[in-house]
PDB file of all heavy atoms in Angstrom:
ATOM      1  N   TYR C 271      34.921   2.543  14.315  1.00 94.00           N
ATOM      2  CA  TYR C 271      34.222   2.633  13.027  1.00 94.00           C
ATOM      3  C   TYR C 271      32.802   3.127  13.204  1.00 94.00           C
ATOM      4  O   TYR C 271      32.220   3.655  12.264  1.00 94.00           O
ATOM      5  CB  TYR C 271      34.302   1.292  12.294  1.00 94.00           C
ATOM      6  CG  TYR C 271      35.750   0.924  12.054  1.00 94.00           C
ATOM      7  CD1 TYR C 271      36.384  -0.059  12.777  1.00 94.00           C
ATOM      8  CD2 TYR C 271      36.507   1.676  11.158  1.00 94.00           C
ATOM      9  CE1 TYR C 271      37.727  -0.328  12.607  1.00 94.00           C
ATOM     10  CE2 TYR C 271      37.849   1.418  10.990  1.00 94.00           C
ATOM     11  CZ  TYR C 271      38.458   0.420  11.719  1.00 94.00           C
ATOM     12  OH  TYR C 271      39.791   0.185  11.565  1.00 94.00           O
ATOM     13  N   ILE C 272      32.239   2.947  14.407  1.00 93.00           N
ATOM     14  CA  ILE C 272      30.965   3.620  14.677  1.00 93.00           C
ATOM     15  C   ILE C 272      31.181   5.125  14.547  1.00 93.00           C
ATOM     16  O   ILE C 272      30.326   5.872  14.090  1.00 93.00           O
ATOM     17  CB  ILE C 272      30.434   3.294  16.088  1.00 93.00           C
ATOM     18  CG1 ILE C 272      30.111   1.822  16.219  1.00 93.00           C
ATOM     19  CG2 ILE C 272      29.198   4.128  16.418  1.00 93.00           C
ATOM     20  CD1 ILE C 272      29.623   1.417  17.594  1.00 93.00           C
ATOM     21  N   MET C 273      32.373   5.561  14.958  1.00 94.00           N
ATOM     22  CA  MET C 273      32.642   6.995  14.944  1.00 94.00           C
ATOM     23  C   MET C 273      32.922   7.494  13.534  1.00 94.00           C
ATOM     24  O   MET C 273      32.463   8.557  13.151  1.00 94.00           O
ATOM     25  CB  MET C 273      33.838   7.294  15.839  1.00 94.00           C
ATOM     26  CG  MET C 273      33.670   6.804  17.260  1.00 94.00           C
ATOM     27  SD  MET C 273      35.185   7.062  18.190  1.00 94.00           S
ATOM     28  CE  MET C 273      34.973   5.945  19.552  1.00 94.00           C
ATOM     29  N   ILE C 274      33.675   6.743  12.746  1.00 94.00           N
ATOM     30  CA  ILE C 274      34.140   7.308  11.484  1.00 94.00           C
ATOM     31  C   ILE C 274      33.212   6.977  10.311  1.00 94.00           C
ATOM     32  O   ILE C 274      33.089   7.765   9.380  1.00 94.00           O
ATOM     33  CB  ILE C 274      35.593   6.868  11.182  1.00 94.00           C
ATOM     34  CG1 ILE C 274      36.210   7.716  10.069  1.00 94.00           C
ATOM     35  CG2 ILE C 274      35.667   5.401  10.812  1.00 94.00           C
ATOM     36  CD1 ILE C 274      36.426   9.136  10.434  1.00 94.00           C
ATOM     37  N   LEU C 275      32.542   5.809  10.346  1.00 95.00           N
ATOM     38  CA  LEU C 275      31.744   5.420   9.175  1.00 95.00           C
ATOM     39  C   LEU C 275      30.650   6.418   8.814  1.00 95.00           C
ATOM     40  O   LEU C 275      30.509   6.772   7.644  1.00 95.00           O
ATOM     41  CB  LEU C 275      31.125   4.040   9.406  1.00 95.00           C
ATOM     42  CG  LEU C 275      31.909   2.857   8.854  1.00 95.00           C
ATOM     43  CD1 LEU C 275      31.272   1.562   9.313  1.00 95.00           C
ATOM     44  CD2 LEU C 275      31.946   2.899   7.340  1.00 95.00           C
ATOM     45  N   PRO C 276      29.875   6.903   9.788  1.00 96.00           N
ATOM     46  CA  PRO C 276      28.859   7.884   9.406  1.00 96.00           C
ATOM     47  C   PRO C 276      29.488   9.144   8.826  1.00 96.00           C
ATOM     48  O   PRO C 276      28.931   9.750   7.908  1.00 96.00           O
ATOM     49  CB  PRO C 276      28.135   8.194  10.716  1.00 96.00           C
ATOM     50  CG  PRO C 276      28.536   7.134  11.654  1.00 96.00           C
ATOM     51  CD  PRO C 276      29.865   6.638  11.226  1.00 96.00           C
ATOM     52  N   GLY C 277      30.651   9.499   9.339  1.00 96.00           N
ATOM     53  CA  GLY C 277      31.372  10.642   8.779  1.00 96.00           C
ATOM     54  C   GLY C 277      31.695  10.408   7.317  1.00 96.00           C
ATOM     55  O   GLY C 277      31.523  11.284   6.468  1.00 96.00           O
ATOM     56  N   MET C 278      32.140   9.203   7.018  1.00 96.00           N
ATOM     57  CA  MET C 278      32.422   8.866   5.621  1.00 96.00           C
ATOM     58  C   MET C 278      31.155   8.951   4.788  1.00 96.00           C
ATOM     59  O   MET C 278      31.183   9.376   3.630  1.00 96.00           O
ATOM     60  CB  MET C 278      33.002   7.460   5.549  1.00 96.00           C
ATOM     61  CG  MET C 278      34.384   7.346   6.142  1.00 96.00           C
ATOM     62  SD  MET C 278      34.850   5.622   6.259  1.00 96.00           S
ATOM     63  CE  MET C 278      36.636   5.774   6.358  1.00 96.00           C
ATOM     64  N   GLY C 279      30.028   8.544   5.374  1.00 96.00           N
ATOM     65  CA  GLY C 279      28.763   8.642   4.657  1.00 96.00           C
ATOM     66  C   GLY C 279      28.416  10.087   4.338  1.00 96.00           C
ATOM     67  O   GLY C 279      28.005  10.413   3.223  1.00 96.00           O
ATOM     68  N   VAL C 280      28.626  10.959   5.324  1.00 96.00           N
ATOM     69  CA  VAL C 280      28.361  12.378   5.111  1.00 96.00           C
ATOM     70  C   VAL C 280      29.220  12.899   3.964  1.00 96.00           C
ATOM     71  O   VAL C 280      28.731  13.581   3.050  1.00 96.00           O
ATOM     72  CB  VAL C 280      28.650  13.173   6.406  1.00 96.00           C
ATOM     73  CG1 VAL C 280      28.675  14.666   6.128  1.00 96.00           C
ATOM     74  CG2 VAL C 280      27.617  12.846   7.470  1.00 96.00           C
ATOM     75  N   ILE C 281      30.494  12.551   4.000  1.00 96.00           N
ATOM     76  CA  ILE C 281      31.406  13.067   2.976  1.00 96.00           C
ATOM     77  C   ILE C 281      31.022  12.539   1.599  1.00 96.00           C
ATOM     78  O   ILE C 281      31.080  13.265   0.606  1.00 96.00           O
ATOM     79  CB  ILE C 281      32.863  12.694   3.334  1.00 96.00           C
ATOM     80  CG1 ILE C 281      33.236  13.298   4.672  1.00 96.00           C
ATOM     81  CG2 ILE C 281      33.822  13.167   2.255  1.00 96.00           C
ATOM     82  CD1 ILE C 281      33.087  14.790   4.783  1.00 96.00           C
ATOM     83  N   SER C 282      30.582  11.272   1.539  1.00 96.00           N
ATOM     84  CA  SER C 282      30.168  10.736   0.242  1.00 96.00           C
ATOM     85  C   SER C 282      29.036  11.572  -0.350  1.00 96.00           C
ATOM     86  O   SER C 282      29.012  11.840  -1.552  1.00 96.00           O
ATOM     87  CB  SER C 282      29.691   9.285   0.389  1.00 96.00           C
ATOM     88  OG  SER C 282      30.703   8.495   0.949  1.00 96.00           O
ATOM     89  N   GLU C 283      28.082  11.975   0.496  1.00 95.00           N
ATOM     90  CA  GLU C 283      26.989  12.818   0.010  1.00 95.00           C
ATOM     91  C   GLU C 283      27.520  14.172  -0.460  1.00 95.00           C
ATOM     92  O   GLU C 283      27.200  14.646  -1.545  1.00 95.00           O
ATOM     93  CB  GLU C 283      25.955  13.063   1.118  1.00 95.00           C
ATOM     94  CG  GLU C 283      25.239  11.836   1.602  1.00 95.00           C
ATOM     95  CD  GLU C 283      24.437  11.186   0.505  1.00 95.00           C
ATOM     96  OE1 GLU C 283      23.865  11.913  -0.319  1.00 95.00           O
ATOM     97  OE2 GLU C 283      24.405   9.941   0.480  1.00 95.00           O
ATOM     98  N   LEU C 284      28.345  14.787   0.404  1.00 95.00           N
ATOM     99  CA  LEU C 284      28.767  16.152   0.132  1.00 95.00           C
ATOM    100  C   LEU C 284      29.633  16.253  -1.115  1.00 95.00           C
ATOM    101  O   LEU C 284      29.485  17.177  -1.917  1.00 95.00           O
ATOM    102  CB  LEU C 284      29.536  16.713   1.346  1.00 95.00           C
ATOM    103  CG  LEU C 284      28.665  17.491   2.325  1.00 95.00           C
ATOM    104  CD1 LEU C 284      27.589  16.609   2.898  1.00 95.00           C
ATOM    105  CD2 LEU C 284      29.515  18.085   3.422  1.00 95.00           C
ATOM    106  N   MET C 285      30.524  15.297  -1.270  1.00 95.00           N
ATOM    107  CA  MET C 285      31.409  15.308  -2.430  1.00 95.00           C
ATOM    108  C   MET C 285      30.598  15.334  -3.716  1.00 95.00           C
ATOM    109  O   MET C 285      30.882  16.082  -4.631  1.00 95.00           O
ATOM    110  CB  MET C 285      32.279  14.041  -2.428  1.00 95.00           C
ATOM    111  CG  MET C 285      33.463  14.120  -1.533  1.00 95.00           C
ATOM    112  SD  MET C 285      34.517  15.454  -2.070  1.00 95.00           S
ATOM    113  CE  MET C 285      34.989  16.109  -0.504  1.00 95.00           C
ATOM    114  N   SER C 286      29.587  14.499  -3.753  1.00 95.00           N
ATOM    115  CA  SER C 286      28.797  14.401  -4.967  1.00 95.00           C
ATOM    116  C   SER C 286      27.949  15.651  -5.172  1.00 95.00           C
ATOM    117  O   SER C 286      27.962  16.248  -6.247  1.00 95.00           O
ATOM    118  CB  SER C 286      27.917  13.160  -4.882  1.00 95.00           C
ATOM    119  OG  SER C 286      27.115  13.082  -6.018  1.00 95.00           O
ATOM    120  N   VAL C 287      27.255  16.071  -4.118  1.00 95.00           N
ATOM    121  CA  VAL C 287      26.335  17.209  -4.275  1.00 95.00           C
ATOM    122  C   VAL C 287      27.095  18.473  -4.642  1.00 95.00           C
ATOM    123  O   VAL C 287      26.730  19.185  -5.579  1.00 95.00           O
ATOM    124  CB  VAL C 287      25.533  17.432  -2.985  1.00 95.00           C
ATOM    125  CG1 VAL C 287      24.735  18.721  -3.068  1.00 95.00           C
ATOM    126  CG2 VAL C 287      24.604  16.266  -2.726  1.00 95.00           C
ATOM    127  N   HIS C 288      28.176  18.750  -3.938  1.00 95.00           N
ATOM    128  CA  HIS C 288      28.861  20.011  -4.163  1.00 95.00           C
ATOM    129  C   HIS C 288      29.791  19.963  -5.364  1.00 95.00           C
ATOM    130  O   HIS C 288      30.371  20.968  -5.734  1.00 95.00           O
ATOM    131  CB  HIS C 288      29.595  20.443  -2.895  1.00 95.00           C
ATOM    132  CG  HIS C 288      28.646  20.756  -1.777  1.00 95.00           C
ATOM    133  ND1 HIS C 288      27.878  21.886  -1.742  1.00 95.00           N
ATOM    134  CD2 HIS C 288      28.299  20.044  -0.675  1.00 95.00           C
ATOM    135  CE1 HIS C 288      27.119  21.878  -0.661  1.00 95.00           C
ATOM    136  NE2 HIS C 288      27.357  20.767   0.005  1.00 95.00           N
ATOM    137  N   SER C 289      29.975  18.787  -5.956  1.00 95.00           N
ATOM    138  CA  SER C 289      30.685  18.725  -7.227  1.00 95.00           C
ATOM    139  C   SER C 289      29.709  18.632  -8.388  1.00 95.00           C
ATOM    140  O   SER C 289      30.115  18.635  -9.548  1.00 95.00           O
ATOM    141  CB  SER C 289      31.602  17.503  -7.272  1.00 95.00           C
ATOM    142  OG  SER C 289      32.495  17.511  -6.199  1.00 95.00           O
TER     143      SER C 289
END
Side-chain angles (χ1 to χ4, degrees):
Chain C
Y271 300 106
I272 296 178
M273 304 175 199
I274 194 67
L275 265 173
M278 291 170 159
V280 168
I281 300 303
S282 303
E283 296 298 323
L284 266 61
M285 279 299 140
S286 178
V287 172
H288 295 286
S289 304

